[in-house]
């Protein structure tokens, strides 16, 4: 099963990190020196994705600008002989024609956002990547999923899963665990944001999915679920009646950057993973972690 396209739902309002996101998309928040959206773009590119589909909303124009060429900036850097900076920009630049943008016109939920990409995805399996979740690992989380998808075979759906503490299961989609097949296991039921104490396990859906295009038919007719939103998890529950779903336990540390604590932790973790920053940061942090 070849996965060529990835959908990035980026229409969310980012209310958990206001006021930072009042005039700036949450996907443009910076972890060390790159916006969140660049991390997930790079992860998808590493996984072999060829077409990047962004489902945006109002006030998200800077995401589109970020993936465009900035001629004035290039020309200025060129004139000043700033080769390293020019290389950084070139390295992060998508190929012309490899990105598409469509809008989710109303904030009706993650399932609705994914459905908005149906015409661009067409009739082939595709990845969904949620930019507020970062996974620090090489190979990246999506590359691990794509590898698992090759093993899983045609017409299979895969979800990245990682354990969360029992007191956090109500914040995520949670999967029940069925029969194991190496690093994968059959998903035995899913529930979106279960009430406290009712989760079937503590394996939470992390923001990486590989889905079959039949999900769009279900999303098209779907009623609202948890939080009054059209939920991707509910559509997956529907699709699981007809197709296989596997959970993939991936390697790597997950950071939920949509929360303040997760965002701060990600900045520290990604900076500590950088040889050029690690030592200086360790020294600086010593000042703040006394007592
Ligand atoms: C979404 C999904 C949820 C998943 C989570 C991961 O929820 O609906 O199943 O566990 O992303 O971040 P959201 O965070 O958009 O409320």
């Amino acid at each position: 099963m070849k996965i060529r396209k990835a959908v990035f739902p980026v229409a969310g309002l980012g209310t958990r990190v206001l006021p930072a996101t009042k005039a700036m998309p949450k996907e443009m928040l910076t972890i060390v020196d790159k916006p969140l959206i660049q991390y997930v773009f790079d992860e998808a590119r590493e996984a072999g994705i060829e077409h990047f589909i962004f489902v945006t909303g109002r006030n998200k124009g800077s995401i589109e600008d970020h993936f465009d060429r900035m001629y004035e900036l290039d020309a200025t850097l060129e004139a000043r002989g700033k080769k390293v900076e020019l290389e950084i920009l070139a390295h992060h630049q998508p190929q012309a024609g490899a990105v598409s943008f469509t809008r989710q016109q109303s904030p009706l939920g993650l399932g609705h956002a994914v459905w908005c990409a149906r015409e661009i995805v067409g009739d082939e399996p595709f990845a969904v990547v949620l930019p507020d979740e970062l996974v620090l690992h090489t190979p990246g989380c999506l590359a691990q999923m794509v590898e698992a998808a090759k093993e899983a075979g045609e017409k299979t759906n895969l979800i990245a899963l990682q354990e969360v503490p029992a007191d956090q299961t109500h914040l995520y989609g949670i999967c029940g665990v069925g029969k194991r097949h190496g690093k994968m296991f059959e998903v035995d039921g899913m529930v979106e944001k279960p009430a406290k104490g009712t989760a079937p396990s503590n394996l939470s859906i992390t923001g990486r999915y590989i889905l079959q295009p039949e999900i769009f038919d279900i999303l098209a007719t779907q009623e609202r679920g948890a939080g009054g939103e059209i939920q991707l998890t509910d559509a997956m529950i529907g699709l699981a009646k007809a197709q296989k779903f596997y959970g993939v336990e991936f390697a790597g540390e997950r950071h939920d950057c949509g929360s303040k604590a997760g965002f701060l932790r990600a900045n520290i973790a990604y900076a500590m993973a950088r040889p050029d920053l690690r030592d200086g940061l360790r020294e600086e942090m010593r000042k703040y972690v006394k007592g």
Side-chain angles (χ1 to χ4, degrees):
M1 178 164 58
K2 172 103 177 113
I3 312 298
R4 297 190 314 118
K5 297 180 180 175
V7 174
F8 301 85
V10 292
L13 296 175
T15 49
R16 286 195 288 165
V17 280
L18 278 169
T21 49
K22 185 179 168 196
M24 182 176 78
K26 67 172 171 174
E27 298 78 13
M28 291 302 289
L29 290 173
T30 311
I31 303 292
V32 187
D33 54 6
K34 286 198 291 187
L36 280 169
I37 195 70
Q38 183 77 55
Y39 282 94
V40 288
F41 173 86
D42 291 344
E43 181 186 328
R45 190 161 59 171
E46 180 218 16
I49 298 298
E50 295 162 9
H51 197 111
F52 307 83
I53 304 162
F54 298 89
V55 182
T56 71
R58 273 178 290 284
N59 299 326
K60 300 283 182 170
S62 57
I63 297 176
E64 211 161 330
D65 290 341
H66 179 76
F67 287 110
D68 195 5
R69 279 196 70 182
M70 288 269 179
Y71 285 101
E72 301 84 347
L73 181 59
D74 286 354
T76 308
L77 292 174
E78 201 99 42
R80 293 184 186 168
K82 300 263 184 198
K83 289 210 171 89
V84 175
E85 289 78 0
L86 279 165
E87 272 166 27
I88 291 174
L89 291 182
H91 175 75
H92 291 100
Q93 182 74 38
Q95 234 193 338
V99 287
S100 295
F101 295 86
T102 186
R103 276 200 180 199
Q104 184 184 25
Q105 294 163 339
S106 322
L108 297 178
L110 177 61
H112 179 258
V114 171
W115 179 75
C116 290
R118 68 198 178 284
E119 296 290 339
I120 309 174
V121 171
D123 189 24
E124 60 180 284
F126 64 102
V128 175
V129 181
L130 306 189
D132 48 11
E133 295 232 61
L134 293 188
V135 177
L136 183 51
H137 195 267
T138 309
C141 183
L142 195 62
Q144 297 176 50
M145 304 267 298
V146 165
E147 209 43 49
K150 283 182 198 155
E151 265 176 55
E154 299 302 309
K155 289 291 166 202
T156 336
N157 302 269
L158 295 99
I159 327 168
L161 296 175
Q162 200 163 65
E163 287 193 359
V164 291
D167 63 355
Q168 286 179 23
T169 50
H170 66 289
L171 301 172
Y172 298 101
I174 302 290
C175 288
V177 184
K179 210 169 128 200
R180 273 206 171 269
H181 303 264
K183 271 189 203 156
M184 292 180 283
F185 47 80
E186 287 170 23
V187 168
D188 178 21
M190 293 172 250
V191 52
E192 181 65 18
K193 304 201 173 77
K196 283 187 182 173
T198 66
S201 78
N202 59 353
L203 278 173
S204 81
I205 301 176
T206 308
R208 308 287 182 275
Y209 313 74
I210 290 178
L211 297 171
Q212 299 299 324
E214 288 77 13
I215 195 88
F216 292 125
D217 300 333
I218 300 174
L219 286 168
T221 59
Q222 204 181 312
E223 306 209 335
R224 297 184 186 213
E229 297 187 342
I230 297 176
Q231 295 289 354
L232 183 59
T233 305
D234 293 342
M236 294 195 299
I237 292 169
L239 189 57
K241 290 178 189 147
Q243 294 182 355
K244 279 191 218 146
F245 265 83
Y246 287 115
V248 181
E249 275 185 299
F250 57 91
E253 195 184 3
R254 161 207 211 169
H255 299 280
D256 183 355
C257 301
S259 77
K260 285 173 195 161
F263 175 71
L264 292 171
R265 200 184 65 167
N267 263 296
I268 296 168
Y270 278 78
M272 289 302 284
R274 287 264 299 257
D276 58 328
L277 299 173
R278 188 185 299 146
D279 294 342
L281 178 62
R282 189 182 286 117
E283 277 307 303
E284 285 296 323
M285 281 197 303
R286 281 211 177 96
K287 289 189 218 161
Y288 297 97
V289 292
K290 282 184 203 134

